[in-house]
Amino acid sequence: MTYAETDIVTTIERLAGTGVSQMPPAQWDGIDQYHVGGPAAIERLIPHLALTPGATALDVGSGLGGPARQIARATGCNVVGVDITPAYVEAAQVLTDAAGLAEQTRFFCGDIGAFGHSGFDAAYTVHVQMNIADKKVFYAEIARRLRPGARLAVFEVCRGAGGEAALPLPWSLDGTDSHLVTGDELRDAIEAGGFTALEWTDESAWAREWFDDLGRRLASGPAPATLPALLADGPTRMLNFAIAVASGAVTVHRGAFTVAT
């Protein structure tokens, strides 16, 4: 199983040498967003969600909760996160409590297909669908939980034309749970799931620049608590991801959609 980490908060505090509530913002940024681009990627999604204070967004595949906390803080909205990995959900709630955002942000463990809430004002997925074989059904389940006219924003990894990416990768250790499709195929699957595309952008060049900048920052002296340190074989997985983006083996796409009427 790819997402098998446990005792995540304990590991964070051991690496940081302090409790999560005492960690400086720079260390939070290094651990709580499990995707290329970190907080800067979420900044690119926020305008497309059209969120206002009092609205509620659905985060599908919420991981450690970084995007949910960032969006709640930036927009004043409420965010509900759903993830299938118990240790991630537990860590997300602990980190959210420490950040003082518990009243705005909460997390549930389970599959979106069994999630019992609906009427959300927006939804987003960030580096999630690579593990989903039937993407049309996945996004249709999200559409069913949104109100009419609601927005969907995605920031997702797709298959490129540059050959096969080396394993392990952040979303797959051995390839058995990796279900990459091209950018065009993903957009078509989302639309088939009940959405109309408003924007579809290849962000691969931007992702390459982000990886280059990350490499320079790590070379100058990495912080002790960084995401790769929390994951099984994390440094190798992140390095392979960077190489795959650079070679064109994978692409990174950002999209904005609205529920089809």
Side-chain angles (χ1 to χ4, degrees):
M1 180 179 177
T2 297
Y3 306 105
E5 291 80 22
T6 59
D7 298 323
I8 293 172
V9 172
T10 300
T11 303
I12 290 171
E13 293 182 331
R14 175 177 55 80
L15 292 169
T18 188
V20 292
S21 60
Q22 283 77 49
M23 286 176 59
Q27 283 193 321
W28 279 78
D29 288 347
I31 61 169
D32 70 350
Q33 304 225 22
Y34 192 5
H35 56 87
V36 64
I42 304 306
E43 289 178 5
R44 299 168 90 84
L45 292 187
I46 288 174
H48 300 290
L49 292 169
L51 290 164
T52 57
T56 303
L58 177 63
D59 181 337
V60 184
S62 47
L64 302 183
R69 289 186 290 274
Q70 182 179 348
I71 289 170
R73 189 181 292 112
T75 68
C77 77
N78 303 305
V79 183
V80 174
V82 182
D83 199 284
I84 63 171
T85 305
Y88 287 15
V89 173
E90 178 184 0
Q93 197 63 64
V94 170
L95 292 167
T96 296
D97 293 347
L101 291 167
E103 292 188 2
Q104 283 179 260
T105 311
R106 55 199 174 111
F107 301 91
F108 295 88
C109 186
D111 187 275
I112 186 61
F115 189 57
H117 300 270
S118 61
F120 291 95
D121 299 294
Y124 57 93
T125 68
V126 181
H127 288 25
V128 174
Q129 55 74 43
M130 304 95 71
N131 295 113
I132 305 298
D134 195 331
K135 302 179 195 305
K136 174 185 174 181
V137 169
F138 174 68
Y139 282 102
E141 292 290 352
I142 296 174
R144 289 202 307 116
R145 287 157 178 82
L146 301 180
R147 64 167 178 79
R151 293 289 189 91
L152 169 72
V154 306
F155 190 70
E156 293 289 348
V157 180
C158 299
R159 186 177 72 243
E164 292 295 321
L167 296 168
L169 291 159
W171 63 91
S172 183
L173 295 173
D174 61 6
T176 58
D177 53 353
S178 181
H179 304 284
L180 292 177
V181 296
T182 67
D184 288 346
E185 289 169 335
L186 177 57
R187 181 199 59 222
D188 291 347
I190 295 172
E191 291 191 309
F195 292 94
T196 299
L198 301 175
E199 180 178 350
W200 189 247
T201 303
D202 188 335
E203 294 276 26
S204 302
W206 183 83
R208 286 192 293 271
E209 292 177 4
W210 182 84
F211 269 123
D212 289 344
D213 181 63
L214 176 64
R216 287 189 291 269
R217 285 188 281 117
L218 291 178
S220 68
T226 56
L227 182 63
L230 304 180
L231 308 176
D233 208 7
T236 300
R237 291 161 73 179
M238 293 298 287
L239 178 60
N240 286 344
F241 189 12
I243 293 171
V245 172
S247 68
V250 301
T251 61
V252 179
H253 281 74
R254 174 175 55 82
F257 301 80
T258 188
V259 176
T261 57

mmCIF file of all heavy atoms in Angstrom, residues 173-220:
data_model
loop_
_atom_site.group_PDB
_atom_site.id
_atom_site.type_symbol
_atom_site.label_atom_id
_atom_site.label_comp_id
_atom_site.label_asym_id
_atom_site.label_seq_id
_atom_site.Cartn_x
_atom_site.Cartn_y
_atom_site.Cartn_z
ATOM 1 N N LEU A 173 4.279 3.232 -5.176
ATOM 2 C CA LEU A 173 5.578 2.622 -4.911
ATOM 3 C C LEU A 173 5.987 1.642 -6.007
ATOM 4 O O LEU A 173 7.159 1.576 -6.380
ATOM 5 C CB LEU A 173 5.544 1.902 -3.555
ATOM 6 C CG LEU A 173 5.354 2.798 -2.331
ATOM 7 C CD1 LEU A 173 5.160 1.947 -1.080
ATOM 8 C CD2 LEU A 173 6.539 3.741 -2.158
ATOM 9 N N ASP A 174 5.017 0.882 -6.513
ATOM 10 C CA ASP A 174 5.363 -0.176 -7.479
ATOM 11 C C ASP A 174 4.607 -0.083 -8.796
ATOM 12 O O ASP A 174 4.756 -0.946 -9.663
ATOM 13 C CB ASP A 174 5.137 -1.556 -6.858
ATOM 14 C CG ASP A 174 3.678 -1.804 -6.461
ATOM 15 O OD1 ASP A 174 2.818 -0.959 -6.775
ATOM 16 O OD2 ASP A 174 3.417 -2.845 -5.827
ATOM 17 N N GLY A 175 3.776 0.944 -8.970
ATOM 18 C CA GLY A 175 3.046 1.124 -10.211
ATOM 19 C C GLY A 175 1.692 0.451 -10.269
ATOM 20 O O GLY A 175 0.880 0.762 -11.158
ATOM 21 N N THR A 176 1.393 -0.443 -9.343
ATOM 22 C CA THR A 176 0.128 -1.177 -9.412
ATOM 23 C C THR A 176 -1.077 -0.290 -9.125
ATOM 24 O O THR A 176 -2.199 -0.607 -9.556
ATOM 25 C CB THR A 176 0.122 -2.360 -8.432
ATOM 26 O OG1 THR A 176 0.353 -1.869 -7.100
ATOM 27 C CG2 THR A 176 1.203 -3.359 -8.792
ATOM 28 N N ASP A 177 -0.882 0.795 -8.401
ATOM 29 C CA ASP A 177 -2.001 1.686 -8.083
ATOM 30 C C ASP A 177 -1.868 3.029 -8.797
ATOM 31 O O ASP A 177 -2.476 4.018 -8.396
ATOM 32 C CB ASP A 177 -2.129 1.898 -6.573
ATOM 33 C CG ASP A 177 -0.827 2.369 -5.928
ATOM 34 O OD1 ASP A 177 0.217 2.397 -6.629
ATOM 35 O OD2 ASP A 177 -0.848 2.703 -4.728
ATOM 36 N N SER A 178 -1.098 3.072 -9.871
ATOM 37 C CA SER A 178 -0.944 4.286 -10.672
ATOM 38 C C SER A 178 -1.792 4.162 -11.934
ATOM 39 O O SER A 178 -1.668 3.183 -12.684
ATOM 40 C CB SER A 178 0.520 4.498 -11.061
ATOM 41 O OG SER A 178 0.671 5.680 -11.827
ATOM 42 N N HIS A 179 -2.661 5.146 -12.152
ATOM 43 C CA HIS A 179 -3.580 5.105 -13.294
ATOM 44 C C HIS A 179 -3.522 6.443 -14.026
ATOM 45 O O HIS A 179 -4.502 7.193 -14.065
ATOM 46 C CB HIS A 179 -4.999 4.803 -12.816
ATOM 47 C CG HIS A 179 -5.123 3.536 -12.028
ATOM 48 N ND1 HIS A 179 -5.098 2.281 -12.621
ATOM 49 C CD2 HIS A 179 -5.242 3.322 -10.693
ATOM 50 C CE1 HIS A 179 -5.217 1.354 -11.691
ATOM 51 N NE2 HIS A 179 -5.306 1.958 -10.521
ATOM 52 N N LEU A 180 -2.382 6.720 -14.609
ATOM 53 C CA LEU A 180 -2.196 7.979 -15.321
ATOM 54 C C LEU A 180 -2.888 7.960 -16.672
ATOM 55 O O LEU A 180 -2.885 6.945 -17.379
ATOM 56 C CB LEU A 180 -0.709 8.264 -15.530
ATOM 57 C CG LEU A 180 0.136 8.570 -14.290
ATOM 58 C CD1 LEU A 180 1.590 8.756 -14.702
ATOM 59 C CD2 LEU A 180 -0.371 9.805 -13.560
ATOM 60 N N VAL A 181 -3.475 9.100 -17.039
ATOM 61 C CA VAL A 181 -4.012 9.316 -18.382
ATOM 62 C C VAL A 181 -3.451 10.644 -18.882
ATOM 63 O O VAL A 181 -2.860 11.411 -18.115
ATOM 64 C CB VAL A 181 -5.553 9.354 -18.378
ATOM 65 C CG1 VAL A 181 -6.116 8.008 -17.951
ATOM 66 C CG2 VAL A 181 -6.079 10.471 -17.474
ATOM 67 N N THR A 182 -3.614 10.912 -20.153
ATOM 68 C CA THR A 182 -3.126 12.184 -20.684
ATOM 69 C C THR A 182 -3.994 13.328 -20.169
ATOM 70 O O THR A 182 -5.106 13.127 -19.661
ATOM 71 C CB THR A 182 -3.163 12.191 -22.218
ATOM 72 O OG1 THR A 182 -4.538 12.161 -22.651
ATOM 73 C CG2 THR A 182 -2.400 10.999 -22.795
ATOM 74 N N GLY A 183 -3.497 14.548 -20.332
ATOM 75 C CA GLY A 183 -4.260 15.712 -19.920
ATOM 76 C C GLY A 183 -5.597 15.805 -20.617
ATOM 77 O O GLY A 183 -6.626 16.100 -19.989
ATOM 78 N N ASP A 184 -5.621 15.540 -21.919
ATOM 79 C CA ASP A 184 -6.882 15.589 -22.662
ATOM 80 C C ASP A 184 -7.850 14.529 -22.166
ATOM 81 O O ASP A 184 -9.064 14.777 -22.045
ATOM 82 C CB ASP A 184 -6.632 15.402 -24.158
ATOM 83 C CG ASP A 184 -5.977 16.615 -24.807
ATOM 84 O OD1 ASP A 184 -5.959 17.689 -24.167
ATOM 85 O OD2 ASP A 184 -5.487 16.478 -25.946
ATOM 86 N N GLU A 185 -7.344 13.343 -21.877
ATOM 87 C CA GLU A 185 -8.209 12.275 -21.380
ATOM 88 C C GLU A 185 -8.774 12.603 -20.006
ATOM 89 O O GLU A 185 -9.949 12.302 -19.724
ATOM 90 C CB GLU A 185 -7.428 10.955 -21.332
ATOM 91 C CG GLU A 185 -7.119 10.382 -22.708
ATOM 92 C CD GLU A 185 -6.139 9.228 -22.670
ATOM 93 O OE1 GLU A 185 -5.343 9.147 -21.701
ATOM 94 O OE2 GLU A 185 -6.160 8.412 -23.615
ATOM 95 N N LEU A 186 -7.984 13.230 -19.164
ATOM 96 C CA LEU A 186 -8.488 13.603 -17.850
ATOM 97 C C LEU A 186 -9.573 14.667 -17.962
ATOM 98 O O LEU A 186 -10.629 14.561 -17.330
ATOM 99 C CB LEU A 186 -7.346 14.112 -16.965
ATOM 100 C CG LEU A 186 -7.780 14.608 -15.587
ATOM 101 C CD1 LEU A 186 -8.525 13.523 -14.809
ATOM 102 C CD2 LEU A 186 -6.589 15.130 -14.797
ATOM 103 N N ARG A 187 -9.325 15.689 -18.773
ATOM 104 C CA ARG A 187 -10.352 16.729 -18.962
ATOM 105 C C ARG A 187 -11.650 16.116 -19.469
ATOM 106 O O ARG A 187 -12.743 16.441 -18.969
ATOM 107 C CB ARG A 187 -9.848 17.779 -19.944
ATOM 108 C CG ARG A 187 -10.836 18.931 -20.193
ATOM 109 C CD ARG A 187 -10.486 19.653 -21.462
ATOM 110 N NE ARG A 187 -10.520 18.742 -22.604
ATOM 111 C CZ ARG A 187 -9.606 18.732 -23.576
ATOM 112 N NH1 ARG A 187 -8.615 19.593 -23.597
ATOM 113 N NH2 ARG A 187 -9.708 17.861 -24.577
ATOM 114 N N ASP A 188 -11.543 15.199 -20.432
ATOM 115 C CA ASP A 188 -12.738 14.568 -20.985
ATOM 116 C C ASP A 188 -13.467 13.744 -19.919
ATOM 117 O O ASP A 188 -14.703 13.721 -19.871
ATOM 118 C CB ASP A 188 -12.366 13.672 -22.168
ATOM 119 C CG ASP A 188 -11.888 14.464 -23.376
ATOM 120 O OD1 ASP A 188 -12.078 15.701 -23.393
ATOM 121 O OD2 ASP A 188 -11.320 13.835 -24.294
ATOM 122 N N ALA A 189 -12.712 13.061 -19.051
ATOM 123 C CA ALA A 189 -13.328 12.250 -17.999
ATOM 124 C C ALA A 189 -14.062 13.126 -16.997
ATOM 125 O O ALA A 189 -15.153 12.771 -16.520
ATOM 126 C CB ALA A 189 -12.272 11.408 -17.295
ATOM 127 N N ILE A 190 -13.467 14.278 -16.651
ATOM 128 C CA ILE A 190 -14.124 15.196 -15.719
ATOM 129 C C ILE A 190 -15.420 15.721 -16.326
ATOM 130 O O ILE A 190 -16.465 15.775 -15.658
ATOM 131 C CB ILE A 190 -13.176 16.348 -15.343
ATOM 132 C CG1 ILE A 190 -11.965 15.802 -14.575
ATOM 133 C CG2 ILE A 190 -13.904 17.401 -14.498
ATOM 134 C CD1 ILE A 190 -10.879 16.845 -14.322
ATOM 135 N N GLU A 191 -15.375 16.087 -17.597
ATOM 136 C CA GLU A 191 -16.593 16.573 -18.256
ATOM 137 C C GLU A 191 -17.644 15.468 -18.344
ATOM 138 O O GLU A 191 -18.847 15.720 -18.138
ATOM 139 C CB GLU A 191 -16.256 17.125 -19.632
ATOM 140 C CG GLU A 191 -15.446 18.416 -19.572
ATOM 141 C CD GLU A 191 -15.322 19.104 -20.910
ATOM 142 O OE1 GLU A 191 -14.937 18.429 -21.893
ATOM 143 O OE2 GLU A 191 -15.601 20.313 -20.975
ATOM 144 N N ALA A 192 -17.214 14.253 -18.612
ATOM 145 C CA ALA A 192 -18.155 13.137 -18.676
ATOM 146 C C ALA A 192 -18.778 12.847 -17.309
ATOM 147 O O ALA A 192 -19.880 12.290 -17.225
ATOM 148 C CB ALA A 192 -17.454 11.878 -19.201
ATOM 149 N N GLY A 193 -18.073 13.249 -16.237
ATOM 150 C CA GLY A 193 -18.585 13.064 -14.892
ATOM 151 C C GLY A 193 -19.604 14.106 -14.473
ATOM 152 O O GLY A 193 -20.137 14.022 -13.360
ATOM 153 N N GLY A 194 -19.869 15.086 -15.335
ATOM 154 C CA GLY A 194 -20.918 16.042 -15.027
ATOM 155 C C GLY A 194 -20.476 17.482 -14.919
ATOM 156 O O GLY A 194 -21.193 18.313 -14.352
ATOM 157 N N PHE A 195 -19.328 17.815 -15.494
ATOM 158 C CA PHE A 195 -18.805 19.175 -15.407
ATOM 159 C C PHE A 195 -18.611 19.786 -16.795
ATOM 160 O O PHE A 195 -18.459 19.065 -17.784
ATOM 161 C CB PHE A 195 -17.464 19.185 -14.662
ATOM 162 C CG PHE A 195 -17.566 18.846 -13.205
ATOM 163 C CD1 PHE A 195 -17.383 17.541 -12.767
ATOM 164 C CD2 PHE A 195 -17.858 19.834 -12.272
ATOM 165 C CE1 PHE A 195 -17.479 17.222 -11.413
ATOM 166 C CE2 PHE A 195 -17.948 19.526 -10.925
ATOM 167 C CZ PHE A 195 -17.766 18.219 -10.495
ATOM 168 N N THR A 196 -18.585 21.108 -16.820
ATOM 169 C CA THR A 196 -18.252 21.862 -18.022
ATOM 170 C C THR A 196 -16.958 22.610 -17.777
ATOM 171 O O THR A 196 -16.814 23.303 -16.754
ATOM 172 C CB THR A 196 -19.367 22.867 -18.366
ATOM 173 O OG1 THR A 196 -20.579 22.160 -18.606
ATOM 174 C CG2 THR A 196 -18.995 23.690 -19.597
ATOM 175 N N ALA A 197 -15.990 22.462 -18.679
ATOM 176 C CA ALA A 197 -14.687 23.089 -18.498
ATOM 177 C C ALA A 197 -14.767 24.598 -18.704
ATOM 178 O O ALA A 197 -15.351 25.076 -19.670
ATOM 179 C CB ALA A 197 -13.663 22.483 -19.454
ATOM 180 N N LEU A 198 -14.152 25.336 -17.779
ATOM 181 C CA LEU A 198 -13.999 26.781 -17.913
ATOM 182 C C LEU A 198 -12.560 27.133 -18.299
ATOM 183 O O LEU A 198 -12.326 28.113 -18.999
ATOM 184 C CB LEU A 198 -14.351 27.474 -16.594
ATOM 185 C CG LEU A 198 -15.763 27.237 -16.051
ATOM 186 C CD1 LEU A 198 -15.905 27.882 -14.678
ATOM 187 C CD2 LEU A 198 -16.806 27.777 -17.011
ATOM 188 N N GLU A 199 -11.623 26.335 -17.833
ATOM 189 C CA GLU A 199 -10.209 26.563 -18.134
ATOM 190 C C GLU A 199 -9.463 25.242 -17.991
ATOM 191 O O GLU A 199 -9.765 24.441 -17.100
ATOM 192 C CB GLU A 199 -9.608 27.608 -17.179
ATOM 193 C CG GLU A 199 -8.136 27.886 -17.441
ATOM 194 C CD GLU A 199 -7.547 28.956 -16.518
ATOM 195 O OE1 GLU A 199 -8.327 29.610 -15.805
ATOM 196 O OE2 GLU A 199 -6.321 29.108 -16.509
ATOM 197 N N TRP A 200 -8.485 25.016 -18.871
ATOM 198 C CA TRP A 200 -7.649 23.819 -18.803
ATOM 199 C C TRP A 200 -6.250 24.223 -19.235
ATOM 200 O O TRP A 200 -6.027 24.587 -20.396
ATOM 201 C CB TRP A 200 -8.198 22.712 -19.690
ATOM 202 C CG TRP A 200 -7.519 21.394 -19.523
ATOM 203 C CD1 TRP A 200 -6.744 20.744 -20.441
ATOM 204 C CD2 TRP A 200 -7.559 20.560 -18.362
ATOM 205 N NE1 TRP A 200 -6.307 19.547 -19.928
ATOM 206 C CE2 TRP A 200 -6.789 19.404 -18.653
ATOM 207 C CE3 TRP A 200 -8.166 20.668 -17.107
ATOM 208 C CZ2 TRP A 200 -6.617 18.380 -17.721
ATOM 209 C CZ3 TRP A 200 -8.001 19.630 -16.189
ATOM 210 C CH2 TRP A 200 -7.235 18.503 -16.499
ATOM 211 N N THR A 201 -5.301 24.200 -18.314
ATOM 212 C CA THR A 201 -3.979 24.767 -18.548
ATOM 213 C C THR A 201 -2.892 23.773 -18.195
ATOM 214 O O THR A 201 -2.918 23.157 -17.119
ATOM 215 C CB THR A 201 -3.783 26.042 -17.692
ATOM 216 O OG1 THR A 201 -4.823 26.973 -17.992
ATOM 217 C CG2 THR A 201 -2.430 26.677 -17.962
ATOM 218 N N ASP A 202 -1.920 23.621 -19.096
ATOM 219 C CA ASP A 202 -0.741 22.798 -18.826
ATOM 220 C C ASP A 202 0.235 23.621 -17.982
ATOM 221 O O ASP A 202 0.777 24.621 -18.452
ATOM 222 C CB ASP A 202 -0.091 22.372 -20.145
ATOM 223 C CG ASP A 202 1.026 21.349 -19.952
ATOM 224 O OD1 ASP A 202 1.624 21.310 -18.857
ATOM 225 O OD2 ASP A 202 1.303 20.598 -20.909
ATOM 226 N N GLU A 203 0.437 23.202 -16.748
ATOM 227 C CA GLU A 203 1.307 23.916 -15.815
ATOM 228 C C GLU A 203 2.670 23.242 -15.666
ATOM 229 O O GLU A 203 3.399 23.504 -14.717
ATOM 230 C CB GLU A 203 0.637 23.998 -14.437
ATOM 231 C CG GLU A 203 -0.619 24.847 -14.387
ATOM 232 C CD GLU A 203 -0.295 26.324 -14.200
ATOM 233 O OE1 GLU A 203 0.818 26.747 -14.591
ATOM 234 O OE2 GLU A 203 -1.146 27.041 -13.668
ATOM 235 N N SER A 204 3.037 22.400 -16.623
ATOM 236 C CA SER A 204 4.271 21.630 -16.483
ATOM 237 C C SER A 204 5.509 22.516 -16.412
ATOM 238 O O SER A 204 6.434 22.248 -15.629
ATOM 239 C CB SER A 204 4.409 20.638 -17.640
ATOM 240 O OG SER A 204 3.299 19.772 -17.693
ATOM 241 N N ALA A 205 5.562 23.576 -17.221
ATOM 242 C CA ALA A 205 6.722 24.471 -17.179
ATOM 243 C C ALA A 205 6.829 25.130 -15.811
ATOM 244 O O ALA A 205 7.935 25.256 -15.250
ATOM 245 C CB ALA A 205 6.604 25.525 -18.278
ATOM 246 N N TRP A 206 5.708 25.549 -15.275
ATOM 247 C CA TRP A 206 5.704 26.145 -13.942
ATOM 248 C C TRP A 206 6.152 25.126 -12.895
ATOM 249 O O TRP A 206 6.915 25.446 -11.982
ATOM 250 C CB TRP A 206 4.302 26.662 -13.614
ATOM 251 C CG TRP A 206 4.189 27.350 -12.290
ATOM 252 C CD1 TRP A 206 4.494 28.648 -12.001
ATOM 253 C CD2 TRP A 206 3.733 26.766 -11.059
ATOM 254 N NE1 TRP A 206 4.253 28.916 -10.668
ATOM 255 C CE2 TRP A 206 3.788 27.772 -10.074
ATOM 256 C CE3 TRP A 206 3.286 25.503 -10.698
ATOM 257 C CZ2 TRP A 206 3.403 27.552 -8.743
ATOM 258 C CZ3 TRP A 206 2.910 25.262 -9.384
ATOM 259 C CH2 TRP A 206 2.981 26.283 -8.430
ATOM 260 N N ALA A 207 5.704 23.874 -13.027
ATOM 261 C CA ALA A 207 6.099 22.819 -12.095
ATOM 262 C C ALA A 207 7.596 22.554 -12.172
ATOM 263 O O ALA A 207 8.256 22.333 -11.138
ATOM 264 C CB ALA A 207 5.313 21.544 -12.390
ATOM 265 N N ARG A 208 8.166 22.578 -13.378
ATOM 266 C CA ARG A 208 9.606 22.384 -13.517
ATOM 267 C C ARG A 208 10.366 23.489 -12.800
ATOM 268 O O ARG A 208 11.373 23.223 -12.111
ATOM 269 C CB ARG A 208 10.010 22.338 -14.997
ATOM 270 C CG ARG A 208 9.624 21.055 -15.704
ATOM 271 C CD ARG A 208 10.295 20.929 -17.049
ATOM 272 N NE ARG A 208 9.831 21.930 -18.003
ATOM 273 C CZ ARG A 208 8.776 21.758 -18.805
ATOM 274 N NH1 ARG A 208 8.071 20.642 -18.754
ATOM 275 N NH2 ARG A 208 8.417 22.706 -19.651
ATOM 276 N N GLU A 209 9.912 24.718 -12.932
ATOM 277 C CA GLU A 209 10.563 25.839 -12.246
ATOM 278 C C GLU A 209 10.464 25.673 -10.735
ATOM 279 O O GLU A 209 11.417 25.982 -10.007
ATOM 280 C CB GLU A 209 9.927 27.156 -12.688
ATOM 281 C CG GLU A 209 10.209 27.527 -14.135
ATOM 282 C CD GLU A 209 9.495 28.798 -14.545
ATOM 283 O OE1 GLU A 209 8.838 29.424 -13.680
ATOM 284 O OE2 GLU A 209 9.599 29.179 -15.731
ATOM 285 N N TRP A 210 9.315 25.197 -10.273
ATOM 286 C CA TRP A 210 9.153 24.996 -8.832
ATOM 287 C C TRP A 210 10.123 23.938 -8.323
ATOM 288 O O TRP A 210 10.757 24.121 -7.282
ATOM 289 C CB TRP A 210 7.710 24.580 -8.523
ATOM 290 C CG TRP A 210 7.467 24.401 -7.056
ATOM 291 C CD1 TRP A 210 7.162 25.361 -6.142
ATOM 292 C CD2 TRP A 210 7.525 23.165 -6.325
ATOM 293 N NE1 TRP A 210 7.021 24.801 -4.892
ATOM 294 C CE2 TRP A 210 7.232 23.462 -4.971
ATOM 295 C CE3 TRP A 210 7.778 21.836 -6.687
ATOM 296 C CZ2 TRP A 210 7.202 22.479 -3.982
ATOM 297 C CZ3 TRP A 210 7.752 20.852 -5.691
ATOM 298 C CH2 TRP A 210 7.464 21.179 -4.366
ATOM 299 N N PHE A 211 10.260 22.833 -9.039
ATOM 300 C CA PHE A 211 11.205 21.801 -8.635
ATOM 301 C C PHE A 211 12.641 22.330 -8.657
ATOM 302 O O PHE A 211 13.442 22.019 -7.769
ATOM 303 C CB PHE A 211 11.086 20.579 -9.533
ATOM 304 C CG PHE A 211 10.114 19.541 -9.055
ATOM 305 C CD1 PHE A 211 9.061 19.130 -9.851
ATOM 306 C CD2 PHE A 211 10.252 18.953 -7.798
ATOM 307 C CE1 PHE A 211 8.154 18.176 -9.414
ATOM 308 C CE2 PHE A 211 9.366 17.993 -7.355
ATOM 309 C CZ PHE A 211 8.309 17.594 -8.160
ATOM 310 N N ASP A 212 12.985 23.117 -9.668
ATOM 311 C CA ASP A 212 14.327 23.690 -9.730
ATOM 312 C C ASP A 212 14.601 24.579 -8.517
ATOM 313 O O ASP A 212 15.668 24.512 -7.903
ATOM 314 C CB ASP A 212 14.501 24.501 -11.018
ATOM 315 C CG ASP A 212 14.584 23.634 -12.259
ATOM 316 O OD1 ASP A 212 14.808 22.420 -12.121
ATOM 317 O OD2 ASP A 212 14.419 24.178 -13.371
ATOM 318 N N ASP A 213 13.614 25.409 -8.168
ATOM 319 C CA ASP A 213 13.776 26.292 -7.017
ATOM 320 C C ASP A 213 13.856 25.487 -5.723
ATOM 321 O O ASP A 213 14.649 25.810 -4.828
ATOM 322 C CB ASP A 213 12.605 27.272 -6.959
ATOM 323 C CG ASP A 213 12.720 28.239 -5.796
ATOM 324 O OD1 ASP A 213 13.697 29.032 -5.792
ATOM 325 O OD2 ASP A 213 11.866 28.209 -4.886
ATOM 326 N N LEU A 214 13.048 24.424 -5.621
ATOM 327 C CA LEU A 214 13.101 23.568 -4.437
ATOM 328 C C LEU A 214 14.475 22.940 -4.293
ATOM 329 O O LEU A 214 15.039 22.881 -3.183
ATOM 330 C CB LEU A 214 12.031 22.479 -4.542
ATOM 331 C CG LEU A 214 12.016 21.441 -3.412
ATOM 332 C CD1 LEU A 214 11.686 22.098 -2.081
ATOM 333 C CD2 LEU A 214 11.017 20.327 -3.739
ATOM 334 N N GLY A 215 15.037 22.469 -5.395
ATOM 335 C CA GLY A 215 16.366 21.877 -5.346
ATOM 336 C C GLY A 215 17.409 22.859 -4.854
ATOM 337 O O GLY A 215 18.292 22.509 -4.052
ATOM 338 N N ARG A 216 17.320 24.109 -5.310
ATOM 339 C CA ARG A 216 18.275 25.122 -4.850
ATOM 340 C C ARG A 216 18.114 25.385 -3.360
ATOM 341 O O ARG A 216 19.113 25.536 -2.633
ATOM 342 C CB ARG A 216 18.089 26.414 -5.647
ATOM 343 C CG ARG A 216 18.598 26.347 -7.082
ATOM 344 C CD ARG A 216 18.593 27.707 -7.746
ATOM 345 N NE ARG A 216 17.239 28.190 -7.993
ATOM 346 C CZ ARG A 216 16.574 27.969 -9.126
ATOM 347 N NH1 ARG A 216 17.140 27.279 -10.103
ATOM 348 N NH2 ARG A 216 15.351 28.436 -9.292
ATOM 349 N N ARG A 217 16.877 25.431 -2.874
ATOM 350 C CA ARG A 217 16.642 25.699 -1.462
ATOM 351 C C ARG A 217 17.134 24.545 -0.596
ATOM 352 O O ARG A 217 17.738 24.759 0.458
ATOM 353 C CB ARG A 217 15.158 25.968 -1.218
ATOM 354 C CG ARG A 217 14.714 27.346 -1.700
ATOM 355 C CD ARG A 217 13.303 27.675 -1.287
ATOM 356 N NE ARG A 217 12.319 27.026 -2.141
ATOM 357 C CZ ARG A 217 11.434 26.133 -1.749
ATOM 358 N NH1 ARG A 217 11.413 25.759 -0.484
ATOM 359 N NH2 ARG A 217 10.567 25.614 -2.592
ATOM 360 N N LEU A 218 16.894 23.324 -1.025
ATOM 361 C CA LEU A 218 17.357 22.178 -0.252
ATOM 362 C C LEU A 218 18.878 22.088 -0.246
ATOM 363 O O LEU A 218 19.490 21.708 0.749
ATOM 364 C CB LEU A 218 16.756 20.892 -0.822
ATOM 365 C CG LEU A 218 15.247 20.721 -0.633
ATOM 366 C CD1 LEU A 218 14.780 19.435 -1.287
ATOM 367 C CD2 LEU A 218 14.866 20.743 0.837
ATOM 368 N N ALA A 219 19.514 22.461 -1.378
ATOM 369 C CA ALA A 219 20.967 22.426 -1.453
ATOM 370 C C ALA A 219 21.599 23.443 -0.518
ATOM 371 O O ALA A 219 22.720 23.246 -0.032
ATOM 372 C CB ALA A 219 21.425 22.679 -2.888
ATOM 373 N N SER A 220 20.884 24.518 -0.245
ATOM 374 C CA SER A 220 21.443 25.556 0.638
ATOM 375 C C SER A 220 21.267 25.242 2.114
ATOM 376 O O SER A 220 21.769 25.961 2.967
ATOM 377 C CB SER A 220 20.778 26.906 0.326
ATOM 378 O OG SER A 220 19.412 26.891 0.698
#
